[in-house]
Amino acid sequence: MLRNLPANFSFPLKTIYTTMKILLALVIVFFNFQTTFSQLRKQPSAAEIKLKLKKLNFLGSVLYVAAHPDDENTRAIAFLVNDRLASTAYLSMTRGDGGQNLIGSEIRDLLGVIRTQELLAARRIDGGQQFFTRANDFGFSKNAKETFEIWNKQEILSDVVRVIRQFQPDVILNRFPPDERAGHGHHTASAILAQEAFDKANDPLVYPEQVKEFGTWQAKRLYTNTGRWWNQTINETTPGILAVNVGTYNTLLGKSYSEIAAESRTQHKSQGFGSPGRRGDAAEFFEFVKGEPSTKDFFENVNTTWSRVKGSEKVQPLVDKLINEYKLEDPSSSIPLLLQLKKEITALGNSVWKTKKLAEVDQLVQDCAGLYVEVVANHFWGVPGQMTMTNFEVINRSKANVTITGIQSASASYDTTMTLPLKNNALVMFKSKRKLETNLSYSSPYWLKETHSQGLFTVADQKLIGKPENDPAIIFNFSFLIDGEKIQLQAPLIYKWTDPVKGELVRPFEVVPPVFVNLNKPVYIFRNQEPQEVTVLLKSASDAIEGKLKLELPKGWKSVPISIPFEMNKKSEEQSFNFRVIPDKEEANTTLKAIAEIDGKIYDVSLRTIEYDHIPVQTLMPIAKSEALRIDLKKEGSVIGYIRGAGDDVPASLRNMGYEVWEMKNEEVTAANLKKVDAVVLGIRTFNTNERIRYFMPELLNYVNEGGTLVVQYNTNADFEIDRDKFAPYPITLSRDRVTEENSEVRILKPNHPALNFPNKITSKDFEGWVQERGLYFPSNWHENYDALISCNDTGEPARNGGLLIANYGLGHYVYTGLSFFRELPEGVPGAYKLFANLVSLGKPKKIENQKKLKSKK
Ligand SMILES: [Zn+2]
């Protein structure tokens, strides 16, 4: 019931809590295709509406296929969507979890969440749709064979076939060729999968459970989106090539497709892909691969008119009329024809085009009426079974005859009928307080709800496969009568606020547990049997809760106290609790967990929020679990200077080892300050990202010369901010050599080197349990003054010996290492901790020897 309507509203109000569920089910089917969640509805301009009307008249579709966020050709997609008016989607095999992050320290699953949102942001600009498979980007792969073994080829193939059967593309475009020219194994694999799926999607015996849902589908043809990268002499006359000018200008949008593409590509900010807008003709080349040949046009011999839909004879003339009679100054005059069109399309038999075009028509009715519908919660979190306050805002900005007849949301126990006429430009606002359903699931990304293997995400609900992200947590369905016709529109529940600098901001409303439990470290290191403090931060998402908090520890470990009672009164309140944890005597590589108990129910998820300006706020709720290492880790020295590069979590890991870390700003790198630290570590890609490094590298090398230890982590060959002969005391040549098999054998080349013996003895056992890779961008050549300490390689490749190079320089030590410490340390890999402790302790044995000598002299 609408309890909080302003008193001055009087209209017949009848509340029903009955059989609208059937209607809701229909609505959900209808809107399945609009998978992108735009937060605040953006009202299109009259020119943009015209483009959308023209799109009603084109019934052709394209699926673009590649492996990662950023692989897709945004210019081709922008052109296909906005010039050819084709229904266009990008299927990315992965979410880009395995890459490096240029804007923050999130890696792996968290980075995958950022890149998923960057792809959605790109699609909001170029107008395409977005699909994914369940494949995890496990890092660089040298060939498709390895990729398929790790992904589980049959599972990913079934996802590609599923997307084809669901989306029913006429044309499939591969970004990559299906062979080693594609470079990355994931790239090659994406092309092989698309080619196989092209045939398999039409075979009813393949994945028959999908056929029941979507039927089979045969795309007309498949091309590879080739170019001068692969074929330097390619041009418009090359045999077997379709050449398309995608650099044309769209007068309704006021942009060229290259300009739209640049904006879209610039959304890949975590990869540093800011792109300039270009103007003028630009050719793209498509090499025919399979299906019915054509090098004249994508859609040759594809019926892209309404006549491809059975019984649509009355539709085509209506659409033509709509376009011809559209008035730029008065879009609402198109509403009667749109409503007539809706009736005709509704009467057609079921097909993918019926679903797509009905959704487009409903959206156009809303666009032409300037109808704004918004539902805002008074907090961004809601707890299942608890009350949530919602504010509704609805306005009709046209002369159309619009009446609200009902609002319904099953998950917010909302089901109301009414007759509320909406006068032209008269704002209607009301409030309501409702209880959220008790069985709602939490709003963390669906593919991260369960643990996953190295290559494949676990998705229990088959219906979610292919979707880019969760559906909004709470959806309100609005029923309108517009000029006598029923129209259904949806609005997701959102939260909005105003930032004094950035203006109005919006984030999704999320369903969360009443309390989050957060351990203060991802890894706890117990270097001996001394007890250590473990802090748990409780954050309340509910008013008035009380319960008890405890740690779940491995066998033989103890905590004091065993449990702690807590009481919190307000939403968003935080409280910290300390436990003293006493580890077992034996060395162990194990985990500990924090759990809160309220009224006999266990809550064990933590809160991880990702906030960047270019994507909506993302909330992850991983299990509150940390690595617990009981290792005999020895270290020397106490203060480490750290100079940040592209961003990594190594400083936290150093603190965890017992070091004090001074994160030095550029101007703090002075001879006087360097005297205060026991070693200096450069963050990953410092030479690529710190443009001032050239000015203080001489100071750092001088520090080494005078006895200091400098550990340089990996850099790539591109965008060097320092002369190549100035970053190391003796020449080093970087390469793209990497060792991606994290289990590859590690051969110790210099077993007696101090870095492998002091203070921790390093053996091949210390290279067990590494994650993702051994390392990357190893040097390929180095001066004879360097000792190469270890050797490893991927299967079938030559030995890579440049992973860990150490030179004595003056009285000190210079270390260059491409080993992936930045991945291993945050994951709690014991051997990586021992080896890194040795590297930063390198300068110390000599001093100890000197002290011994001094003592013996006395
Ligand atoms: Zn890629």
Side-chain angles (χ1 to χ4, degrees):
M1 199 150 359
L2 296 172
R3 280 176 218 281
N4 301 307
L5 273 174
N8 58 334
F9 273 96
S10 61
F11 49 85
L13 235 183
K14 196 178 75 183
T15 307
I16 49 163
Y17 292 97
T18 48
T19 55
M20 284 188 74
K21 272 181 188 147
I22 300 162
L23 193 60
L24 172 71
L26 284 174
V27 169
I28 287 172
V29 171
F30 267 61
F31 283 83
N32 244 350
F33 269 90
Q34 294 186 319
T35 42
T36 39
F37 167 48
S38 65
Q39 303 212 304
L40 263 191
R41 203 186 99 78
K42 202 174 147 269
Q43 170 67 27
S45 70
E48 285 163 347
I49 292 175
K50 170 119 196 206
L51 193 63
K52 286 172 129 193
L53 286 172
K54 287 167 80 177
K55 203 178 175 73
L56 282 180
N57 222 354
F58 191 85
L59 288 77
S61 59
V62 179
L63 183 66
Y64 200 97
V65 181
H68 305 114
D70 87 351
D71 287 343
E72 85 279 20
N73 183 337
T74 48
R75 195 168 61 175
I77 292 173
F79 172 82
L80 285 161
V81 172
N82 300 292
D83 184 279
R84 300 303 306 268
L85 305 174
S87 173
T88 308
Y90 172 39
L91 169 59
S92 177
M93 296 296 139
T94 76
R95 297 173 183 271
D97 326 75
Q100 291 104 41
N101 183 358
L102 262 62
I103 55 173
S105 61
E106 296 91 350
I107 50 173
R108 307 189 84 191
D109 289 356
L110 297 171
L111 183 58
V113 171
I114 293 175
R115 298 222 164 133
T116 295
Q117 290 300 324
E118 290 181 338
L119 270 185
L120 288 173
R123 293 297 82 80
R124 282 194 280 271
I125 290 166
D126 59 39
Q129 264 182 267
Q130 185 62 49
F131 292 107
F132 290 96
T133 74
R134 286 169 295 159
N136 179 29
D137 175 4
F138 55 83
F140 188 79
S141 174
K142 284 172 179 163
N143 56 62
K145 186 172 168 284
E146 182 209 42
T147 298
F148 285 143
E149 275 164 21
I150 295 174
W151 276 354
N152 186 336
K153 185 182 174 191
Q154 283 310 310
E155 294 290 333
I156 304 308
L157 181 62
S158 84
D159 291 0
V160 178
V161 169
R162 184 186 179 89
V163 169
I164 292 174
R165 283 169 171 170
Q166 185 188 353
F167 185 68
Q168 300 187 3
D170 298 309
V171 178
I172 296 177
L173 301 177
N174 269 344
R175 167 78 278 190
F176 299 103
D179 50 50
E180 57 285 352
R181 282 178 298 158
H184 199 316
H186 298 172
H187 294 166
T188 316
S190 74
I192 294 171
L193 287 168
Q195 289 202 17
E196 286 187 21
F198 182 87
D199 300 320
K200 292 215 153 70
N202 200 33
D203 183 345
L205 300 177
V206 176
Y207 310 122
E209 68 290 347
Q210 294 176 5
V211 178
K212 279 182 222 144
E213 200 178 348
F214 306 111
T216 57
W217 182 252
Q218 181 59 62
K220 192 77 157 183
R221 55 182 67 99
L222 184 148
Y223 301 91
T224 301
N225 183 187
T226 181
R228 301 232 156 85
W229 194 348
W230 290 298
N231 181 352
Q232 287 184 349
T233 58
I234 203 164
N235 63 44
E236 284 77 352
T237 59
T238 309
I241 294 292
L242 165 67
V244 183
N245 179 9
V246 297
T248 46
Y249 176 70
N250 189 311
T251 53
L252 295 174
L253 299 175
K255 285 171 189 161
S256 75
Y257 301 113
S258 309
E259 287 174 313
I260 297 171
E263 281 175 41
S264 168
R265 194 162 178 75
T266 297
Q267 298 307 307
H268 294 302
K269 294 184 194 296
S270 70
Q271 315 203 47
F273 276 3
S275 307
R278 293 199 173 83
R279 288 146 294 277
D281 290 347
E284 282 286 346
F285 301 101
F286 300 88
E287 186 179 359
F288 174 78
V289 178
K290 67 194 293 187
E292 196 180 294
S294 169
T295 55
K296 284 193 200 113
D297 187 75
F298 295 115
F299 296 105
E300 191 180 321
N301 292 331
V302 178
N303 184 354
T304 57
T305 70
W306 274 98
S307 65
R308 82 183 289 175
V309 182
K310 217 174 127 200
S312 68
E313 294 74 19
K314 289 184 189 158
V315 173
Q316 183 74 64
L318 270 176
V319 176
D320 292 338
K321 197 165 179 227
L322 249 174
I323 295 167
N324 292 335
E325 295 181 3
Y326 178 67
K327 291 194 185 76
L328 214 53
E329 310 74 24
D330 182 17
S332 71
S333 62
S334 294
I335 291 176
L337 271 175
L338 278 166
L339 294 171
Q340 214 182 322
L341 181 63
K342 181 180 164 84
K343 247 192 226 165
E344 293 297 340
I345 299 176
T346 307
L348 298 173
N350 282 338
S351 73
V352 69
W353 286 112
K354 175 181 172 177
T355 311
K356 280 186 200 193
K357 294 298 170 187
L358 265 183
E360 286 178 28
V361 170
D362 280 349
Q363 194 58 66
L364 274 162
V365 172
Q366 184 179 12
D367 296 341
C368 290
L371 184 57
Y372 186 87
V373 179
E374 181 189 280
V375 193
V376 178
N378 65 344
H379 197 282
F380 44 81
W381 286 339
V383 175
Q386 293 193 3
M387 303 301 275
T388 288
M389 178 71 94
T390 46
N391 297 285
F392 293 78
E393 181 183 328
V394 188
I395 186 168
N396 163 29
R397 291 173 291 180
S398 72
K399 60 180 198 264
N401 198 351
V402 182
T403 304
I404 306 183
T405 58
I407 304 172
Q408 193 268 351
S409 174
S411 35
S413 340
Y414 205 100
D415 194 343
T416 302
T417 55
M418 61 176 87
T419 305
L420 173 56
L422 299 176
K423 283 189 206 129
N424 190 354
N425 214 29
L427 185 64
V428 175
M429 292 170 85
F430 48 90
K431 285 180 196 297
S432 168
K433 202 173 178 184
R434 290 301 163 102
K435 195 176 186 179
L436 296 184
E437 281 290 300
T438 50
N439 59 356
L440 296 179
S441 61
Y442 300 148
S443 304
S444 47
Y446 75 83
W447 62 98
L448 297 177
K449 286 196 170 169
E450 290 173 50
T451 52
H452 61 82
S453 67
Q454 189 192 359
L456 186 69
F457 290 113
T458 309
V459 178
D461 182 358
Q462 297 285 304
K463 289 206 160 36
L464 295 172
I465 293 173
K467 285 193 181 219
E469 62 174 346
N470 296 10
D471 288 336
I474 310 282
I475 296 172
F476 283 85
N477 299 292
F478 284 75
S479 303
F480 293 95
L481 265 187
I482 300 183
D483 288 350
E485 282 299 316
K486 278 186 200 157
I487 291 281
Q488 295 265 348
L489 295 175
Q490 292 191 317
L493 183 57
I494 54 168
Y495 174 74
K496 61 175 195 176
W497 72 105
T498 304
D499 179 274
V501 177
K502 294 172 187 167
E504 187 175 69
L505 297 174
V506 176
R507 60 181 280 182
F509 175 83
E510 292 156 336
V511 176
V512 301
V515 69
F516 291 106
V517 281
N518 302 282
L519 287 154
N520 66 328
K521 291 179 185 177
V523 181
Y524 294 94
I525 297 176
F526 294 82
R527 294 194 284 135
N528 44 47
Q529 235 194 321
E530 289 283 297
Q532 212 185 105
E533 210 149 85
V534 169
T535 305
V536 183
L537 178 80
L538 280 189
K539 189 168 179 83
S540 173
S542 169
D543 293 329
I545 48 169
E546 57 175 273
K548 61 182 186 194
L549 176 67
K550 60 181 183 184
L551 295 181
E552 245 179 43
L553 296 165
K555 218 172 153 224
W557 295 43
K558 284 194 290 266
S559 81
V560 181
I562 292 171
S563 76
I564 305 176
F566 66 85
E567 197 185 319
M568 299 213 272
N569 300 316
K570 275 183 69 188
K571 214 174 211 172
S572 294
E573 188 179 330
E574 291 180 4
Q575 282 180 29
S576 282
F577 299 91
N578 292 327
F579 292 89
R580 272 163 66 82
V581 171
I582 304 126
D584 196 31
K585 259 204 324 273
E586 301 297 318
E587 283 202 83
N589 181 359
T590 176
T591 56
L592 58 84
K593 226 180 117 174
I595 51 178
E597 198 183 314
I598 302 172
D599 297 332
K601 276 182 98 176
I602 298 291
Y603 298 97
D604 63 354
V605 298
S606 61
L607 172 67
R608 177 79 205 233
T609 308
I610 301 175
E611 288 182 58
Y612 290 102
D613 282 351
H614 65 303
I615 58 173
V617 173
Q618 297 295 300
T619 299
L620 285 82
M621 298 175 224
I623 298 290
K625 194 169 77 175
S626 293
E627 303 292 317
L629 301 186
R630 167 64 195 91
I631 48 168
D632 294 321
L633 173 71
K634 298 182 196 79
K635 67 165 189 64
E636 294 294 327
S638 54
V639 184
I640 307 288
Y642 203 91
I643 299 167
R644 282 209 168 263
D648 56 67
D649 280 335
V650 173
S653 303
L654 284 164
R655 290 189 182 103
N656 221 345
M657 289 157 73
Y659 284 108
E660 193 183 311
V661 180
W662 180 1
E663 293 193 42
M664 299 178 99
K665 298 190 190 88
N666 290 338
E667 61 274 15
E668 289 174 332
V669 185
T670 62
N673 282 342
L674 291 171
K675 286 202 171 70
K676 299 176 192 162
V677 300
D678 294 299
V680 175
V681 179
L682 298 195
I684 56 169
R685 297 204 306 283
T686 300
F687 300 147
N688 304 126
T689 56
N690 188 333
E691 57 185 40
R692 306 212 64 238
I693 185 79
R694 69 188 76 198
Y695 302 118
F696 56 84
M697 198 66 208
E699 200 62 79
L700 286 169
L701 291 178
N702 191 43
Y703 159 74
V704 176
N705 193 27
E706 289 177 359
T709 299
L710 177 64
V711 179
V712 180
Q713 300 180 80
Y714 93 91
N715 290 273
T716 70
N717 251 324
D719 303 325
F720 240 57
E721 303 287 356
I722 178 168
D723 293 343
R724 294 194 185 246
D725 55 346
K726 300 218 167 97
F727 73 80
Y730 312 109
I732 289 179
T733 311
L734 300 186
S735 76
R736 295 181 61 85
D737 288 349
R738 52 208 295 172
V739 178
T740 61
E741 292 166 14
E742 69 273 21
N743 303 320
S744 57
E745 183 203 358
V746 175
R747 298 166 294 269
I748 291 181
L749 301 176
K750 293 262 157 64
N752 297 324
H753 194 282
L756 298 176
N757 290 282
F758 183 85
N760 303 290
K761 175 75 190 160
I762 301 295
T763 65
S764 54
K765 205 169 173 298
D766 291 300
F767 293 96
E768 287 172 10
W770 284 45
V771 297
Q772 186 157 332
E773 62 197 354
R774 289 293 182 201
L776 61 177
Y777 299 102
F778 286 178
S780 55
N781 279 299
W782 50 88
H783 189 272
E784 59 183 23
N785 284 1
Y786 290 99
D787 285 318
L789 266 53
I790 59 160
S791 171
C792 52
N793 53 272
D794 284 337
T795 312
E797 298 214 343
R800 310 291 185 199
N801 296 352
L804 179 54
L805 302 177
I806 303 180
N808 294 328
Y809 176 59
L811 299 171
H813 303 85
Y814 178 93
V815 181
Y816 191 96
T817 180
L819 293 176
S820 295
F821 289 106
F822 74 107
R823 293 195 191 280
E824 313 306 324
L825 299 177
E827 295 288 329
V829 177
Y833 274 96
K834 288 185 178 175
L835 180 53
F836 208 73
N838 284 8
L839 297 181
V840 294
S841 301
L842 261 174
K844 299 300 161 185
K846 244 183 250 163
K847 280 184 194 161
I848 288 171
E849 278 162 28
N850 290 343
Q851 280 162 0
K852 275 183 196 159
K853 272 181 211 158
L854 282 173
K855 273 182 194 163
S856 61
K857 272 180 194 167
K858 274 178 193 169

